[in-house]
Amino acid sequence: MSEGASVPRSGRDRLTFGLIGDPVAHSLSPAMHRAAFRELALEAEYVPIRVAADAPGFVADAMRGLASSGGGMGGGNVTLPHKSAAARTLDVRSEAVGRTGACNCFWQDEEGRLCGDNTDVEGILRVLESTRGLDPGGASILVLGAGGAAAATVVAALQAGAANISVRNRDRRRAEELVGRFPLGQVRLFEAGSPDADFDVVIQATSLGMNPEDPLPYTFSGQAPAHALDLVYRPGGTRWMAHARGHGADVEDGTRVLLEQGVLSLERWLGKPVPAAVRTAMQSVLDGVSD
Ligand code: NDP
């Protein structure tokens, strides 16, 4: 079940945080959070924990093991495909978990309850609001995907005050389920043939692009939306980013979202804002990854 380290067994163990998912080996989260702990002079570890997609039962064990480490001060993050299983495991859910049905960040409170948030929502919102030339309030937004990242994107777009949000997914039934989570008319299914350039921004929230041989999640034939955000990140950028750039979009990968959700996760675990130097240390790990 575990890759790189085992889950702590008792509250007397070393303070440990971790990333639960599959795959996890590619993730920059361990390096990013270790840099933060060094800057904070916090004696803690951050470990990748691979829990196979067909063994979601281990997610709860891993979450409780991490959260109870260091005398109950530990916690962690969850990535695909386990964010929904993590949300179901929680004793206390934030509003963002309730709205997305997905949890990417967890910890234990003083009463020993497992608490969770979805810091992807605020992370994506921060990135949208700070993208040069984009005003997400009133924008027309196309979301590719219907999993946890797409749900977080839709909630972030709603919080930003987007005028139109369309969802497109390979499995149309899953897209319908995501659209159906929100009050009628707030979010709609993408209509094939809609001109791409009518959208102000397209957000790529499928898992495609982590491997260079992955097919493109969506292709443009004419002018792309003015902005394209790919939540996936890999050295040199994804093939889809190059495709979107070739069709006229300003492109960005997922490293800024990774940083923002990471800073917010750290603040949940510590229960207070982190100093600017910590953010800088985390940022320095990510520098050079995007193109
Ligand atoms: P999920 O497993 O919940 O969803 C996967 C999505 O990808 C589904 O929409 C699925 O479509 C689609 N997909 C998978 N394979 C294919 C394929 N071959 N063709 C077409 N569509 C496909 O994953 P998450 O939503 O949790 O994560 C998605 C991505 O976003 C991940 O790569 C993750 O790392 C990234 N992410 C990055 C963040 C960051 O900080 N930068 C934050 C959050 C996520 P279908 O329903 O049809 O199977």
Side-chain angles (χ1 to χ4, degrees):
M1 158 189 128
S2 147
E3 180 176 278
S6 58
V7 181
R9 287 173 193 275
S10 87
R12 292 189 302 277
D13 287 327
R14 178 177 164 81
L15 178 58
T16 308
F17 299 84
L19 174 68
I20 300 166
D22 186 17
V24 285
H26 72 289
S27 176
L28 296 172
S29 286
M32 184 174 74
H33 284 294
R34 286 173 192 153
F37 297 159
R38 272 195 301 277
E39 185 63 35
L40 286 161
L42 181 69
E43 282 204 27
E45 182 53 284
Y46 190 106
V47 295
I49 299 174
R50 191 177 72 80
V51 175
D54 58 1
F58 287 114
V59 172
D61 290 346
M63 289 172 74
R64 292 196 187 276
L66 289 164
S68 64
S69 74
M73 300 300 287
N77 294 116
V78 182
T79 188
L80 85 166
H82 297 310
K83 289 181 183 178
S84 304
R88 290 192 296 273
T89 300
L90 298 173
D91 302 316
V92 183
R93 296 168 184 79
S94 69
E95 189 186 338
V97 171
R99 294 190 80 190
T100 57
C103 161
N104 79 321
C105 171
F106 62 91
W107 64 94
Q108 185 171 295
D109 70 9
E110 287 168 356
E111 293 161 47
R113 296 178 301 181
L114 193 62
C115 306
D117 197 359
N118 189 325
T119 62
D120 289 337
V121 173
E122 177 74 20
I124 294 166
L125 180 63
R126 286 182 179 185
V127 168
L128 290 178
E129 290 184 336
S130 59
T131 296
R132 199 174 308 141
L134 174 67
D135 177 7
S140 191
I141 299 182
L142 172 59
V143 179
L144 305 178
T153 303
V154 167
V155 174
L158 286 169
Q159 286 186 10
N164 298 297
I165 303 168
S166 297
V167 174
R168 180 190 183 276
N169 192 49
R170 172 181 61 175
D171 179 344
R172 188 180 164 90
R173 190 186 44 80
R174 244 183 129 191
E176 286 169 356
E177 277 170 19
L178 178 57
V179 167
R181 293 177 71 102
F182 301 94
L184 200 62
Q186 280 194 351
V187 185
R188 62 180 75 158
L189 285 175
F190 172 76
E191 286 173 29
S194 305
D196 296 322
D198 284 358
F199 294 101
D200 298 297
V201 56
V202 51
I203 303 172
Q204 198 304 101
T206 78
S207 50
L208 293 176
M210 288 198 276
N211 303 307
E213 62 274 15
D214 283 347
L216 294 176
Y218 183 76
T219 55
F220 306 106
S221 46
Q223 174 68 41
H227 301 274
L229 170 63
D230 194 343
L231 294 186
V232 174
Y233 57 86
R234 69 183 312 281
T238 63
R239 278 180 58 227
W240 184 77
M241 287 168 62
H243 173 74
R245 188 187 292 115
H247 286 264
D250 273 346
V251 298
E252 172 166 8
D253 76 359
T255 49
R256 263 198 322 138
V257 173
L258 183 72
L259 174 67
E260 296 300 339
Q261 65 78 33
V263 168
L264 289 158
S265 294
L266 193 54
E267 291 180 346
R268 300 293 181 275
W269 302 329
L270 299 176
K272 58 184 180 188
V274 295
V278 174
R279 164 185 280 272
T280 304
M282 296 167 82
Q283 170 74 66
S284 68
V285 171
L286 306 181
D287 284 347
V289 171
S290 53
D291 62 351

